[in-house]
């Protein structure tokens, strides 16, 4: 994230912008809650005639899109301008048809943050994995998404490793 973006990257701004973002808006996706510390997010997928497949259940692409930028966006807010954060890989397992409004919750724990910061301190890449369960209005899981992120501390913010220091 650039220093300019970091100045305006607040939970309310991010939530509003993503809710107006055409891929979200058009698919019926809405961020309904984003905590002040970026560590919790709840997202909803409305069921509309235009996001149903031929079987009259939620279109799989919309279900997958529901989760697409969320963990990256959250970690960019938590880690700030010192880190690169990108999606690296993702997969989805469709468990049952989504025939109602769907929702998903995203949480970043202290343990995950500690591991990211510890693993990237000297510039190493880190690939945390997250699992998200998309649920219907009854709380039944309709799909499970596994997502791997790429996180690396930017060069100007890295600590020098003891090996590099001993060579100098």
């Amino acid at each position: 994230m650039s220093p300019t973006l970091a100045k305006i990257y607040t939970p309310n701004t991010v939530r509003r912008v993503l809710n107006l973002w055409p891929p979200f808006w058009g698919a019926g996706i809405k961020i309904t809650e984003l905590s002040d510390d970026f560590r919790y997010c709840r997202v909803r997928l409305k069921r509309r005639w235009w996001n149903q497949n031929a079987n009259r259940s939620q279109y799989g692409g919309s279900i997958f899109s529901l989760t697409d930028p969320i963990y990256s966006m959250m970690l960019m807010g938590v880690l700030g301008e010192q880190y690169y954060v990108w999606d690296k890989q993702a997969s989805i397992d469709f468990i049952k048809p989504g025939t109602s409004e769907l929702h998903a919750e995203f949480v970043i724990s202290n343990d995950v943050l500690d591991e990211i910061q510890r693993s990237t301190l000297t510039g190493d890449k880190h690939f945390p994995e997250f699992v998200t369960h998309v649920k219907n209005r009854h709380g039944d899981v309709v799909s499970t998404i596994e997502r791997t992120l790429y996180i690396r501390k930017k060069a100007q913010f890295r600590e020098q490793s003891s090996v590099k220091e001993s060579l100098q």
Side-chain angles (χ1 to χ4, degrees), residues 90-158:
S91 66
I92 188 167
D93 180 17
F94 296 105
I95 297 167
K96 66 189 296 185
T99 55
S100 69
E101 183 176 284
L102 304 178
H103 68 274
E105 294 181 305
F106 305 81
V107 177
I108 298 175
S109 69
N110 287 335
D111 291 342
V112 167
L113 285 177
D114 290 345
E115 179 64 25
I116 289 169
Q117 291 169 338
R118 186 173 42 257
S119 298
T120 60
L121 197 61
T122 60
D124 291 335
K125 300 170 191 170
H126 185 60
F127 305 105
E129 296 179 359
F130 298 92
V131 175
T132 304
H133 302 289
V134 177
K135 298 178 181 181
N136 63 19
R137 68 176 174 209
H138 303 294
D140 301 324
V141 175
V142 300
S143 66
T144 300
I145 291 95
E146 294 180 13
R147 189 168 296 279
T148 303
L149 272 61
Y150 167 102
I151 301 175
R152 189 172 192 188
K153 200 164 199 178
K154 293 179 181 177
Q156 65 267 34
F157 299 107
R158 296 176 192 161

